[in-house]
Amino acid sequence: MKYLILILIPFISLSQSEVPDEYWLDDSNFEETISSGAFGDDNENTIVIEFWAKFNEANCFAEWDQLEDADYYRIDISKAPKTKKEYRIRMAPTILIFKSGTVEESFKAGLDLLLPTDLDEIQNAIHEINQQSKF
């Protein structure tokens, strides 16, 4: 049993280590990140934020690197209590999609702590948000 645990440890921690440091946010840089381009900037991006928790890292959004037409960031809720409270994050993972500093779409884990969405659904939401923001 000990050997099995030793073999599984790298795979269990893989979901967090796959996300490079520059994609992690906290209370100090959250507002600046979501509001970039909020004042008529033609280059504003749709921003996908995943609220993440160490205790539930096995259920994180693992396909983040396949998202198109959006910037992805992850927040460890233990390091962002102000942001967690402001956006009423009760479950992790929770994904919020922002455009011009405003939440346009949200996907929240249920009581089972599983995120009830997939890459296609999130990508479709991004596409719709981007289409709506065109003049």
Side-chain angles (χ1 to χ4, degrees):
M1 184 68 172
K2 272 195 281 187
Y3 297 113
L4 179 62
I5 292 172
L6 289 174
I7 291 171
L8 292 177
I9 286 175
F11 296 105
I12 292 171
S13 62
L14 190 61
S15 61
Q16 179 184 2
S17 63
E18 285 183 12
V19 177
D21 288 343
E22 66 264 22
Y23 296 106
W24 286 87
L25 301 177
D26 57 29
D27 282 341
S28 69
N29 57 1
F30 179 80
E31 286 299 324
E32 179 183 343
T33 301
I34 65 162
S35 63
S36 61
F39 298 105
D41 183 356
D42 290 338
N43 293 324
E44 78 181 28
N45 290 330
T46 301
I47 298 173
V48 177
I49 306 280
E50 177 184 4
F51 289 83
W52 176 92
K54 177 75 174 162
F55 70 83
N56 195 23
E57 72 181 300
N59 294 321
C60 71
F61 180 61
E63 299 169 311
W64 64 271
D65 58 342
Q66 296 175 39
L67 289 174
E68 298 174 359
D69 302 321
D71 294 333
Y72 170 87
Y73 296 95
R74 187 177 276 180
I75 283 188
D76 182 342
I77 59 173
S78 69
K79 295 180 181 174
K82 179 182 153 221
T83 304
K84 178 184 171 214
K85 183 177 180 180
E86 181 178 345
Y87 288 93
R88 296 184 174 115
I89 304 302
R90 305 279 187 258
M91 296 288 187
T94 291
I95 292 178
L96 300 181
I97 303 177
F98 289 84
K99 188 72 167 189
S100 302
T102 303
V103 176
E104 297 290 335
E105 185 72 62
S106 65
F107 301 94
K108 299 176 182 184
L111 293 176
D112 58 1
L113 299 177
L114 296 175
L115 190 62
T117 190
D118 60 12
L119 175 64
D120 289 335
E121 188 174 358
I122 293 171
Q123 193 63 62
N124 286 337
I126 291 168
H127 178 71
E128 287 179 21
I129 291 165
N130 288 338
Q131 288 297 329
Q132 291 172 358
S133 68
K134 290 183 178 179
F135 286 49

